[in-house]
């Protein structure tokens, strides 16, 4: 019997497992959503739209732009951006592939949305149409950077397959600009002037038009740019926020000047702006990356409206920040500024503070720090910022309008009106310009005003490249603050080891990322000089 | 096989889970039974009941019937016992004694039952002895049988040769045999031991030591789902016994295998406690993705990590297609088979193995002297900025200060001295083994404590293993294995930053001031602070495996077996980041560094895998033909669940419970689930004619959940043949010189299914964004799907030769193989324009061709013994095709990082970079040359413009050699003299380049560790023929990855040396110890390598920013009771 029991036991064990689990080889994941079950409801369409917003530039990328121009400097010399600053990069640089990949990833997400969204059975066609508008604007936004930085790039308007991606060719840049212009115009028609509170931060009609104004300015299509800017102005939705000093604070989020921003929430969708910007003495061992240079500071006029180089301006090199355009101190931390911790900023090399130039590799190397977006509320939990980063605001539209009109040689009173509006902001209150009609003079006025108003908002790097002034303003030794030494003599902070270069025959266009060329030789030839 | 189509079947999940539970319960049940069984058991004769119904049968036949029905066997002399007498017996379920009483009723035959052996004798035996020549002297012979470790051997059969007279040794290994003729020969035999014959020659006391039968060509090796005599192998299998492995003191089993087996390359990457880090390759790099061999422990796929080396009975490495094809879709990278120890019947044996070891870092680069370093920095600053950083006076003051006031004038870098320390490691293993004819069990316990060589780093392992074998009935056996292991690992949280900051951004810092304050570098770092005070990552792993295997001998030669196994791994992690505030030592009001927020991440992972193997095996010998057929079915089901949670702002750093963190928006959690399955049918046919001509065929049909549609199943066949030339008649004259010679050949295919799960599903993942201050979900595709994905297939041809010379004194074995992997599973880099992460694809072809040689010898000269072997592997790896794509070059954000290329015509992952031609020596030379950058000066590296386009760009990069060894070799040498044994393992690799990146290559360009070898070794106008270029500050133009950064990777090292001493048993017996030996051993004692100059271990990789390789010096003790 025992014998049989044992046989039985083993047989049972075998049979109990044999043949069961017929679906052993069919595993369906439940920690992700398969494409087949998606695209059914309005919620799916909204979710897929939200996904595209993720590919808007992150804070780090965005703040690095101006730091790579002449007005800024990246302290960490090991960062790939630092090589670009020096002109020491080659086509393998991670900066190029990162910008390229992020934009094309956003484009693919947008294309997948646009190809599939009509599969949604909706009772709310208006919603779907609005979402299409949002996605098309985001896609156009991705193309603006690609077209501007690389010139001819592949223009993809539907979902790309792997096979196709290996054979793509470059579309002439003018056609890319055409596409951007058409998309933004059409999308604007699909979008509302504003959204309900719960949807603040979504693309609006104003965002589409303002982006078009920027794109056309970048493309050198000045009449189109001026017209688009005028359309934004005529919407009568936006006006300048009265306080420049608090424009970049939590209190002013979603204010009347903001046209488009990337929205953050503390803890949930956080940024690290504070860590990127704050002076060494405020948070030791911060990940400080970015400092302004002498050029960023000197552009600010005296409160009397005169340049500091003007002998009659009243500029006192021994007290250089007295009676200056207030935006200087709103935007930058300079000797004597009050820090978020209440202490006084003293970056003089001998000051003995954490900010003394040369005291640490992460202390400011120029004697200045950026103040824009650096706010007290973020100091305690400094990696956890929730401040929205503003990508488009009304002041830019006004300046774009003015610049486009000047370049298109349609100079009229509205040009100076636009500039003066900005200078007359309540807490800026700089003297207005009157009776200037020379194109050259106006050009300088608008360009300088643009820098004073918009510095470290991710635009100046692009501006000097479209103005073709980069070759003039970038090269040279890095310059910093001027201070009075112990003997009463004026000293200027310099970084002799850090020489910026700009090769006009090469650097106005970025190289196609080396890997893209390796994977798809159809993209060749490489941009000149690389 | 019908395709079942996917869709969602949620209701299916529950029944499956119940089934799994049921299986688990059964497994646990069996484990419990085996426990109880091992504790109380009866002897075979008591438990065995027999039924006989014989009319007029001869005694001989009756005895035969008993032997057939049971496992009893009889020893008797026909001369003494009349076995042709006829008897009538009719019994039902009777004990053996009753039956024997009946059979020999009325005769003078008496019997003795010892286990399964029954000795029949008559009283006359004492007088007649059953030998024809009565004139011969007859004696009683007694003695003791021991094994090579002096442990007594019970159950050894001692037979007078040519007769059936014999006894079996008792539980102490003693035997006593009466009436032995003086000129007789005694034959001692025991399973697993070499049979020995000793001439009595008048002696009355014969003690003998039996040697284990694991050496030489008679060895039995584990092969897929079975074992095979090594002589009959037609495929390429390398094997090693657990005993041999146990000779080395190591932390993990991978280190043990290093350099021991031809065809297996193990690169020890150094490992923090509890985090093994190594590369294992069988016959080179087969594929572009996962190259890890399949590891099977006792029939079940498991990980090699943390397996107790003491538990291992044998390790086999299956290399060619013939041996591995039986594992089908998982076998392309080779298979490592491990069997654990099983008990033998006989007296309970208890053994203890323990060691105490000290570990020290093997990566200890020396920093430059302070003065040399400051001078170098000055030159670098002058070259870059035009002005020196330090004045001459300051240097003098500083250098003097380092001696008189080191708190104010700290040395440039002392982290290798202050962060690393010598750390102990202790291990105790106790094993109890024994049993009787029905139940045998071995229980082993291990406790291992290893401290890391950095603070807050340790691993503790506690484990038990119970392997039990049951003889349920004559035809049915059961075997159960049960292994539970708990491992607790502690490491500093964010451990990587410690090693990074030891090299970077922490120059001139006091590690700790006298009052315990940490110094903070100007860049805000202190690696010692990070190690001691940044918080800890605690990991607790409970690992449980249990399996039951039943075997039923249906007919003679036909066996059916079922194995069910469960494996559960539960991981719990608690990673706590401390908050802290570091004040300035000299100005206590000043904050030097602060981490204001503490936080805790908790992780729970739960992985379960269930395996079933069903095997049918048939063996039959018909005359000179022998046939073995194996058919099998196997399935594996794996489920994985993960959960994690995060909170921050705890009351203090000691309150580490997730519930105590801030209950606000900062809290978060996450998780993931996955499952996969594998279903397989397989078979093997072996045929041998006269043990001379050997043929084998294997096949496996595998289905995997990783693929879909028609791609789900795949077929992997293989064939092999062998010819034992030495068995041929014509060889007889050569037999004394070459006693064994065999030629082998095999060909076949194996697969690789190592791709991510669900690769064929275009799945949407969730992302977060927010509008109006409220979080909103986003859904989008991030990874491309590939419905066409299928196995990659490796075709392999192997030609081999095995030979033994001079009666096994010298052995030689060689193999040539040609491995071609097609449809390589490759996660191809895809153009950025695709906007999706790549999924694996079947693309391309890689060839591996190679040779393996093994030469061994064993000798003894009186008290001296020597055995040793040398093995050499040559592997040539080449990418043959990439399906029209490629080259694939690693992308680096920084130009000084090492670049690898995978491209047709080169080995996988070859180096890729610039070629250089020394340094510019004059301004004129600079002016007439295309430069990589503006402002090039004499002393800068001259990169070659390879494509002649008058500029230096990535297009000038080229192939810079292999990164994986082409040659690996090792030699193990064992010397014995009386009670002493000296074992050495020498191991090395060559035919490749190493590249040490990061700080050690950068000569102080950034504020980083600067090696002593840089001293006066750099270009200055006075020192133009230097090894290194001119120093620069914050400028990496000269360290773009190029040929000059390569270092010949070849090394040869004394990996392990061990001296052991066996304490004479005459001494140990007094304290009731059967045998005791002590040893002292050390690893990595001596190394020859070009990397010695950098004071970096030759097996280290990359930027050397990992837990370093260590050397272990150990003192150990082995005791058998």
């Amino acid at each position: 019997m025992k014998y049989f029991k044992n046989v039985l036991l083993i047989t049972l064990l075998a049979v109990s497992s044999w043949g069961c689990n017929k679906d052993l080889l069919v595993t369906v994941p439940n920690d992700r959503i398969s494409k087949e079950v998606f695209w059914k409801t309005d919620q799916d369409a909204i979710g897929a739209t939200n996904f595209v917003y993720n590919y808007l530039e992150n804070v780090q990328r965005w703040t690095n732009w101006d730091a790579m121009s002449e007005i800024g400097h990246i302290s960490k010399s090991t960062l790939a951006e630092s090589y670009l600053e020096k002109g020491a990069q080659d086509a393998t640089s991670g900066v190029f592939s990162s910008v390229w990949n992020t934009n094309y990833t956003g484009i693919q997400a947008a294309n997948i949305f646009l190809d599939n969204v009509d599969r949604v059975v909706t009772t709310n066609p208006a919603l779907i149409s609005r979402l299409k508008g949002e996605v098309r604007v985001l896609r156009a936004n991705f193309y603006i950077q690609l077209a501007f930085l690389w010139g001819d790039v592949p223009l993809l308007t539907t979902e790309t397959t792997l096979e196709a991606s290996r054979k793509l060719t470059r579309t002439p840049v003018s056609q890319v600009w055409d596409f951007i212009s058409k998309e933004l115009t059409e999308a604007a028609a699909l979008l509302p002037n504003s959204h309900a509170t719960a949807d603040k931060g979504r693309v609006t009609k104003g965002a589409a038009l303002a982006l078009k104004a920027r794109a056309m300015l970048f493309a050198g299509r000045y009449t189109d740019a001026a017209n688009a800017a005028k359309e934004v102005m005529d919407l009568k939705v936006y006006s300048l926020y009265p306080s420049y000093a608090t424009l970049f604070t939590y209190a002013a989020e979603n204010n009347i000047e903001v046209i488009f921003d990337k929205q953050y929430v503390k803890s949930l969708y956080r940024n690290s702006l504070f860590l990127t910007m704050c002076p060494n003495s405020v948070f030791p061992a911060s990940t400080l990356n970015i400092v302004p240079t002498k050029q960023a500071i000197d552009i600010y006029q005296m409160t009397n409206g005169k340049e500091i180089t003007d002998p009659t301006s009243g500029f006192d090199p021994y007290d250089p920040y007295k009676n200056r355009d207030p935006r200087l101190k709103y935007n930058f931390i300079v000797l004597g500024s009050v820090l978020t911790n209440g202490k006084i900023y003293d970056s003089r090399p001998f000051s003995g503070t954490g900010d003394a130039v040369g005291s640490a590799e992460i202390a400011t190397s120029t004697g200045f720090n950026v103040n824009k977006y650096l706010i007290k509320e973020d100091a305690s939990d400094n990696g956890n910022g929730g401040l929205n980063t503003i990508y488009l605001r009304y002041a830019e539209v006004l300046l774009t309008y003015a610049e486009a009109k000047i370049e298109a040689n349609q100079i009229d009173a509205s040009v100076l009106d636009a500039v003066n509006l900005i200078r007359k902001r309540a807490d800026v209150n700089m003297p207005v310009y009157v009776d200037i009609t020379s194109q050259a003079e106006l050009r300088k006025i608008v360009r300088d005003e643009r820098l004073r108003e918009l510095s470290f908002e991710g635009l100046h790097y692009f501006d000097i490249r479209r103005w073709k002034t980069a070759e003039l303003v970038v090269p040279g030794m890095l310059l910093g603050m001027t201070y009075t030494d112990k003997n009463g003599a004026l000293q200027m902070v310099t970084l002799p080891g850090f020489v910026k270069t700009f090769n006009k025959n090469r650097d106005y266009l970025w190289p196609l990322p080396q890997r893209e060329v390796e994977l798809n030789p159809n993209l060749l030839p490489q941009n000149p000089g690389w | 096989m019908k395709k079942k189509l996917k869709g969602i079947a949620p209701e299916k999940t529950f029944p499956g889970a119940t089934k799994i539970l049921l299986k688990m319960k059964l497994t646990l049940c069996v484990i419990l039974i085996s426990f109880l069984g091992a504790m109380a058991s009866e002897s075979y004769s008591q438990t065995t009941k027999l039924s006989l119904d014989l009319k007029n049968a001869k005694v001989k036949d009756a005895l035969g019937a008993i032997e057939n029905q049971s496992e009893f066997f009889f020893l008797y002399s026909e001369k003494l016992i009349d076995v042709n007498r006829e008897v009538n017996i009719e019994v039902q379920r009777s004990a053996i004694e009753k039956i024997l009483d009946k059979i020999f009723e009325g005769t003078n035959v008496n019997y003795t039952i010892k286990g399964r052996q029954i000795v029949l004798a008559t009283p006359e035996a004492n007088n007649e002895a059953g030998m024809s020549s009565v004139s011969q002297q007859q004696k009683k012979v007694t003695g003791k049988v021991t094994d090579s470790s002096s442990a007594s051997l019970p159950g050894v059969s001692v037979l007078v040769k040519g007769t059936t007279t014999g006894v079996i040794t008792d539980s102490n290994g003693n035997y006593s045999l009466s009436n032995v003729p003086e000129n007789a020969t005694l034959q001692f035999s025991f399973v697993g031991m070499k049979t020995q014959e000793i001439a009595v020659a008048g002696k009355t006391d014969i003690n003998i030591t039996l040697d284990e039968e694991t050496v030489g060509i008679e060895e039995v090796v584990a092969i897929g789902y079975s074992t095979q005599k090594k002589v009959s192998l037609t495929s390429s299998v390398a094997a090693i016994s657990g005993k041999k492995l146990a000779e080395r003191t190591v932390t993990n089993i991978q280190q043990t295998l290093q350099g021991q087996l031809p065809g297996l390359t193990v690169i020890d990457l150094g490992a923090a406690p509890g985090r093994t880090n190594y590369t294992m390759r069988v016959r080179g790099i087969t594929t572009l993705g996962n190259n890890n061999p399949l590891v099977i422990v006792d029939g079940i796929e498991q990980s090699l990590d943390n397996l107790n080396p003491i538990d291992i009975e044998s390790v086999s490495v299956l290399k060619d297609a013939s041996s591995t094809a039986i594992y089908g879709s998982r076998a392309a990278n080779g298979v490592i088979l491990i069997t654990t120890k099983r008990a033998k019947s006989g007296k309970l044996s208890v053994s203890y193995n323990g060691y105490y070891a000290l570990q020290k870092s093997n990566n200890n680069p020396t920093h430059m002297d302070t003065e040399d370093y400051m001078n170098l920095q000055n030159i670098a600053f002058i070259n870059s900025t035009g002005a020196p950083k330090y004045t001459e006076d300051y240097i003098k003051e500083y250098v003097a200060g380092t001696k008189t006031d080191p708190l104010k004038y700290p040395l440039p870098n002392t982290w290798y001295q202050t962060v690393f320390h010598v750390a102990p490691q202790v291990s105790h293993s106790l094993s109890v083994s024994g049993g009787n004819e029905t139940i045998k069990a071995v229980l082993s316990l291990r406790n291992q404590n290893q401290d890391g060589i950095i603070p807050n780093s340790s691993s503790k392992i506690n484990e038990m293993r119970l392997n039990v074998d049951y003889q349920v009935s004559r035809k049915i056996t059961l075997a159960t294995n049960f292994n539970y292991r708990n491992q607790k690992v502690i490491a500093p949280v964010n451990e990587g930053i410690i090693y990074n900051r030891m090299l970077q951004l922490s120059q001139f810092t006091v590690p700790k001031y006298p009052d315990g304050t940490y110094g903070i570098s100007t860049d805000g770092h202190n690696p010692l602070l990070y190690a001691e005070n940044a918080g800890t990552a605690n990991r607790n792993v409970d690992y449980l495996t249990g399996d039951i295997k039943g075997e039923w001998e249906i007919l003679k030669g036909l066996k059916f077996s079922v194995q069910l196994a469960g494996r559960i791994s539960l991981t719990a992690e608690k990673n706590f980041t401390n908050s802290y505030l570091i004040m300035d030592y000299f100005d206590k009001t000043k904050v030097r560094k602060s981490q204001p927020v503490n936080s805790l991440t908790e992780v729970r992972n739960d992985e379960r895998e269930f395996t079933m193997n069903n095997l049918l095996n048939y063996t039959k010998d018909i005359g000179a033909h022998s046939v073995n057929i194996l058919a099998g079915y196997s399935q594996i089901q794996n489920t994985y669940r993960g959960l994690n949670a995060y909170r921050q702002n705890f009351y203090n750093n000691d309150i580490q419970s997730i519930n105590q963190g801030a209950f606000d928006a900062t809290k978060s959690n996450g998780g993931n689930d996955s499952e996969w399955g594998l279903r397989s049918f397989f078979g093997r046919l072996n045929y041998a004619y006269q043990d001379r001509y050997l043929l084998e065929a294997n096949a496996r049909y595998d289905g995997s959940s990783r693929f879909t549609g028609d791609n789900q199943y795949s077929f992997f066949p293989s064939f092999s043949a062998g010819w034992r030339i030495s068995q041929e008649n014509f060889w007889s004259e050569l037999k004394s010189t070459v006693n064994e010679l065999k030629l082998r050949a095999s060909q076949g295919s194996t697969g690789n299914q190592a791709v991510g799960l669900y690769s064929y599903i275009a799945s949407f993942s969730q992302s977060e964004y927010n509008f109006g201050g409220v979080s909103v979900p986003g859904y989008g595709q991030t990874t491309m799907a590939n419905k066409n994905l299928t196995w990659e297939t490796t075709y392999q041809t192997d030609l081999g030769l095995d030979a033994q010379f001079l009666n096994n004194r010298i052995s030689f074995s060689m193999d040539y193989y040609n491995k071609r992997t097609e449809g390589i599973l490759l996660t191809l880099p895809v153009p950025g324009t695709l906007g999706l992460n790549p999924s694996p694809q079947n693309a391309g072809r890689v060839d591996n061709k190679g040779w393996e040689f093994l030469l061994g010898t064993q000798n003894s000269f009186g008290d001296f013994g020597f055995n040793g072997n040398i093995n050499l592997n040559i592997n040539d790896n080449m990418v043959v095709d990439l399906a029209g794509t490629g080259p694939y070059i690693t992308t680096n954000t920084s130009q000084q990082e090492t670049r690898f290329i995978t491209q047709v015509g080169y080995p996988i992952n070859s180096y890729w970079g610039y070629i250089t031609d020394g340094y510019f020596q004059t301004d004129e030379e600079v002016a007439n040359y295309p430069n990589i950058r503006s402002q090039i000066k004499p002393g800068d590296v001259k990169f070659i413009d390879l494509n002649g386009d008058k500029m230096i760009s990535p297009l000038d990069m080229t192939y810079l050699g292999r990164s994986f060894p082409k040659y690996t070799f090792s030699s193990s040498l064992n010397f014995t003299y009386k009670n002493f044994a000296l074992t050495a393992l020498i191991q090395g690799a060559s035919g490749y380049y190493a590249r040490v990146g990061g700080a050690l290559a950068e000569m102080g360009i950034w504020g980083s560790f600067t090696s002593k070898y840089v001293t006066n070794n750099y270009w200055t106008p006075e020192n133009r023929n230097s090894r290194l270029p001119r120093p620069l500050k914050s400028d990496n133009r000269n360290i773009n990855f190029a040929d000059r950064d390569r270092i010949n990777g070849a090394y040869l090292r004394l990996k392990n040396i061990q001296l052991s001493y066996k304490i004479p048993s005459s001494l140990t017996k007094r304290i009731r110890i059967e045998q005791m030996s002590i040893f002292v051993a050390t690893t990595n004692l001596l190394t020859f390598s070009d990397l010695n100059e950098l004071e970096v271990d030759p097996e280290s990789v990359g930027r050397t920013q990992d837990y370093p390789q260590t050397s272990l010096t150990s003192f150990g003790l082995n005791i058998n009771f």
Side-chain angles (χ1 to χ4, degrees), chain B residues 865-882:
Chain B
F866 167 69
N867 66 65
N869 68 56
I870 297 176
N871 75 60
L872 166 67
N873 305 306
I874 306 170
N875 174 268
D876 214 339
N877 173 286
M878 184 73 75
V879 179
V880 182
D881 180 28
L882 283 172

Side-chain angles (χ1 to χ4, degrees), chain B residues 185-340:
Chain B
T185 299
L186 294 188
Q187 202 172 43
F188 296 82
S189 60
F190 190 68
V191 180
M193 298 283 181
K194 270 191 196 161
T195 300
Q196 274 205 43
E197 292 178 1
I198 302 269
V200 176
K203 285 177 288 215
T204 55
D205 192 12
I206 299 177
N207 293 328
I208 181 170
T209 301
L210 292 186
D211 290 327
E212 280 180 47
E213 202 178 36
T214 47
V215 280
I217 207 135
E218 287 299 323
E219 194 180 337
V220 170
V221 297
I223 58 168
Y225 299 102
S226 184
T227 58
Q228 200 170 12
K229 274 204 293 184
K230 199 165 184 185
V231 281
S232 316
L233 281 176
T234 50
S235 49
S236 180
V237 177
I240 188 165
S241 71
K243 190 167 175 249
K244 188 139 192 193
L245 293 178
E247 282 169 1
R248 288 177 66 195
T249 330
V250 288
T251 314
N252 59 55
I253 186 71
Q254 293 82 17
Q255 291 171 340
T256 324
L257 292 174
Q258 191 173 37
Q260 298 279 24
L261 293 161
L264 179 71
T265 305
V266 179
I267 299 175
D268 176 12
L269 302 174
R275 289 155 207 256
T276 43
N277 188 10
Y278 56 90
T279 308
M280 268 179 117
R281 299 288 175 258
V282 174
R283 292 189 165 170
I285 305 175
T286 311
T287 178
L288 298 171
N290 185 339
N291 278 291
N292 298 324
L294 174 70
V295 178
I296 304 279
V297 182
D298 291 333
I300 307 300
E301 181 172 0
Q302 292 190 33
S303 153
L304 267 187
D305 299 347
N306 302 321
L307 199 67
N308 186 355
I310 300 290
D311 287 341
I312 291 175
E313 173 68 31
S314 75
V315 178
S316 289
V317 179
L318 313 184
K319 298 181 287 191
D320 65 346
S322 169
S323 57
T324 56
I326 198 94
Y327 289 105
S329 65
R330 295 173 297 161
N333 298 323
V335 181
I336 297 178
L337 289 183
I338 292 180
T339 54
T340 58

Side-chain angles (χ1 to χ4, degrees), chain A residues 8-44:
Chain A
L8 204 67
L9 173 71
I10 289 182
T11 318
L12 265 178
L13 282 172
V15 171
S16 75
S17 339
W18 192 301
C20 64
N21 299 329
K22 279 201 175 125
D23 53 351
L24 181 72
L25 302 189
V26 181
T27 54
V28 177
N30 60 4
D31 61 351
R32 60 201 88 179
I33 299 153
S34 87
K35 198 176 181 177
E36 281 71 24
V37 304
F38 204 75
W39 304 116
K40 297 269 194 297
T41 66
D42 289 350
Q43 281 310 312
D44 292 349

Side-chain angles (χ1 to χ4, degrees), chain A residues 236-250:
Chain A
K236 306 281 182 212
V237 172
Y238 308 101
S239 62
L240 294 179
Y241 186 68
S243 165
Y244 192 91
T246 60
L247 183 55
F248 309 97
T249 63
Y250 285 109

Side-chain angles (χ1 to χ4, degrees), chain B residues 251-432:
Chain B
T251 314
N252 59 55
I253 186 71
Q254 293 82 17
Q255 291 171 340
T256 324
L257 292 174
Q258 191 173 37
Q260 298 279 24
L261 293 161
L264 179 71
T265 305
V266 179
I267 299 175
D268 176 12
L269 302 174
R275 289 155 207 256
T276 43
N277 188 10
Y278 56 90
T279 308
M280 268 179 117
R281 299 288 175 258
V282 174
R283 292 189 165 170
I285 305 175
T286 311
T287 178
L288 298 171
N290 185 339
N291 278 291
N292 298 324
L294 174 70
V295 178
I296 304 279
V297 182
D298 291 333
I300 307 300
E301 181 172 0
Q302 292 190 33
S303 153
L304 267 187
D305 299 347
N306 302 321
L307 199 67
N308 186 355
I310 300 290
D311 287 341
I312 291 175
E313 173 68 31
S314 75
V315 178
S316 289
V317 179
L318 313 184
K319 298 181 287 191
D320 65 346
S322 169
S323 57
T324 56
I326 198 94
Y327 289 105
S329 65
R330 295 173 297 161
N333 298 323
V335 181
I336 297 178
L337 289 183
I338 292 180
T339 54
T340 58
K341 282 181 183 151
R342 312 209 69 84
K344 289 168 188 152
S345 62
K347 188 191 139 194
L348 201 68
S349 85
V350 178
S351 68
Y352 165 84
N353 294 279
Y355 65 82
Y356 177 86
L358 291 169
Q359 315 156 71
K360 66 176 178 57
S361 164
N362 234 16
N363 271 359
N364 301 304
T366 315
H367 196 274
M368 291 175 82
D369 286 346
T370 314
E371 190 174 353
D372 291 333
Y373 177 70
M374 289 177 140
N375 285 331
L376 166 79
Q377 287 295 307
N378 267 355
I379 295 169
F381 269 89
I382 291 167
N383 284 340
S384 292
T385 70
K389 176 167 182 164
Y390 309 106
T391 62
E392 289 289 329
D393 288 347
Y394 183 78
I395 295 177
K396 267 190 203 129
E397 176 196 328
Y398 199 98
V399 171
T402 56
K403 295 182 182 86
T404 55
D405 189 1
L407 296 186
K408 280 239 168 72
Y409 301 96
L411 290 168
N413 189 311
T414 54
W415 304 115
Y416 282 96
Q417 290 77 46
T418 46
V419 178
F420 289 166
H421 55 252
V422 172
Q425 177 177 342
V426 189
S427 174
H428 307 282
S429 291
L430 189 69
S431 129
V432 182

Side-chain angles (χ1 to χ4, degrees), chain A residues 6 17-18 21 25 28 31 33 35 47 50 54 83 92 108 166 200 263 265 267 269 360-361 515-516 518, chain B residues 7 472 522-523 612 614 666 673 679 712 762-764 767-768 770 772 777-779 828 832 834 889 899 1036:
Chain A
N6 288 315
S17 339
W18 192 301
N21 299 329
L25 302 189
V28 177
D31 61 351
I33 299 153
K35 198 176 181 177
N50 297 346
N54 272 303
Y83 295 113
T92 64
Q108 176 77 315
R166 292 210 181 102
K200 282 273 181 255
Q263 300 222 332
V265 189
S267 304
Y269 195 74
E361 288 195 32
R515 168 169 273 196
E516 291 301 300
E518 284 159 7
Chain B
V472 178
T522 54
D523 295 292
M612 177 179 62
N614 294 317
T666 57
D673 295 314
R679 168 172 291 166
Q712 209 161 52
S763 60
F764 278 42
S767 67
E768 286 302 321
N770 93 96
Y779 298 100
L828 295 176
L834 179 63
I889 302 169
R899 273 193 177 77
N1036 71 349

